Amino acid sequence: PPDRLIMASRSYYRRLGGAGRASLVASTDDTRSNWTREIQHGSPPLALLTRAAEETLEPGMRIVRLTFDILGPIPVAEVVVEARIVRPGRRICLVEAEMSAAGDSRPVARLAAWALASSDTAEVAVDRHPPLVEGDAAELSWQWQNPDGYLTTVDWRPQRAESGGAAVYWLRSLVGLVDDEPTTALQRLAMVVDAANGIGAVLDPQRFIYMNTDTTVHLHRYPGGADFGIRARASIGPDGIGVTTAEIFDTDGFVGTSAQALLVQ
């Protein structure tokens, strides 16, 4: 409901302009990471590049996979976003979008989005997970010291019971993506899905860093609404590497999965 967008005057980015296929935006304080204030949390850049990819597609094509790679520290600064189709097709299409700091041509983040032609397969539609029903939210206790930036822009609703050892949260972004411009449901999902790493964390952030280098999302159904359930859990290897995997839900049911590689130190 609109009354839950309590910070609608705020957004992750402010549009500054652009030329040709490139657009220039200013990153706001709401993009700041919980690891350090100088870099952005992964979700806002993922959502911005997802928007660029969606705007590049022809009607009738639907994104089914997003792979977001963090190529370097993403600064809280003016950034340039550009998208292009690298594999055109009427049934199968691949879009790439890149983000770079203004004045620097080296990309700091890259998105690859596979899109497929949609058609009516309602007769054979099936989910491998039942819908995730939201219950009363448990008390939210931060392990981070003095959380600010991105962490303050999300409505975090942790669920009281774990599901098969995984943590479950319902999430909604409380701010806009770019100014007050409309956002699609996929962009709203991208605004929170990178948080799966924190939701499924099994390490104490006061003792360990577990930063993800990427986020890959597969969607068998286009998401709806602005509230998303994420059921996530991390596995940590013996050599400083981990992986967080998650199932993703909207209020109608299961929509897809995500996976993230972790640097553990």
Side-chain angles (χ1 to χ4, degrees):
D3 60 0
R4 293 188 64 182
L5 296 175
I6 60 174
M7 296 187 286
S9 62
R10 288 163 55 180
S11 65
Y12 294 123
Y13 301 99
R14 301 295 184 191
R15 190 173 296 283
L16 300 177
R21 296 179 303 179
S23 60
L24 177 67
V25 299
S27 311
T28 70
D29 286 344
D30 286 332
T31 65
R32 294 188 186 276
S33 169
N34 39 289
W35 292 111
T36 174
R37 288 180 51 80
E38 285 68 40
I39 64 174
Q40 296 188 43
H41 188 278
S43 281
L46 169 55
L48 190 63
L49 292 178
T50 297
R51 165 174 288 201
E54 281 197 298
E55 291 176 343
T56 304
L57 291 172
E58 295 293 331
M61 303 295 288
R62 202 262 285 175
I63 290 176
V64 299
R65 192 210 71 182
L66 296 167
T67 296
F68 174 67
D69 291 310
I70 300 172
L71 306 178
I74 304 175
V76 181
E78 294 182 4
V79 294
V80 177
V81 171
E82 184 172 359
R84 60 190 180 278
I85 295 176
V86 296
R87 196 283 190 190
R90 291 182 297 174
R91 295 189 299 170
I92 301 173
C93 177
L94 177 63
V95 181
E96 286 187 353
E98 288 186 344
M99 174 182 290
S100 58
D104 189 342
S105 61
R106 294 174 299 177
V108 292
R110 179 178 294 129
L111 178 85
W114 280 105
L116 305 180
S118 59
S119 61
D120 185 0
T121 53
E123 182 180 356
V124 294
V126 61
D127 289 340
R128 68 177 181 270
H129 295 291
L132 185 66
V133 178
E134 181 175 4
D136 294 335
E139 181 180 356
L140 180 63
S141 59
W142 290 114
Q143 291 182 295
W144 306 97
Q145 295 179 351
N146 304 315
D148 64 354
Y150 175 80
L151 293 182
T152 68
T153 69
V154 175
D155 179 18
W156 306 88
R157 286 119 61 191
Q159 301 298 284
R160 296 182 183 279
E162 290 189 346
S163 178
V168 178
Y169 274 62
W170 280 89
L171 312 172
R172 169 189 279 248
S173 178
L174 299 173
V175 306
L177 179 55
V178 180
D179 297 322
D180 59 354
E181 298 175 7
T183 55
T184 67
L186 179 57
Q187 293 161 28
R188 289 191 291 269
L189 172 60
M191 290 159 72
V192 298
V193 72
D194 184 85
N197 178 28
I199 292 170
V202 293
L203 298 174
D204 181 354
Q206 305 303 324
R207 296 184 57 207
F208 294 95
I209 292 173
Y210 43 92
M211 297 181 68
N212 58 295
T213 60
D214 69 326
T215 297
T216 297
V217 178
H218 282 91
L219 298 168
H220 68 281
R221 176 169 66 79
Y222 195 84
D227 292 282
F228 301 101
I230 295 179
R231 183 166 60 203
R233 187 176 185 180
S235 296
I236 308 299
D239 57 352
I241 309 297
V243 172
T244 297
T245 57
E247 289 95 38
I248 304 166
F249 300 81
D250 63 13
T251 55
D252 290 326
F254 177 56
V255 297
T257 61
S258 70
Q260 298 163 297
L262 311 180
L263 172 68
V264 182
Q265 293 184 334

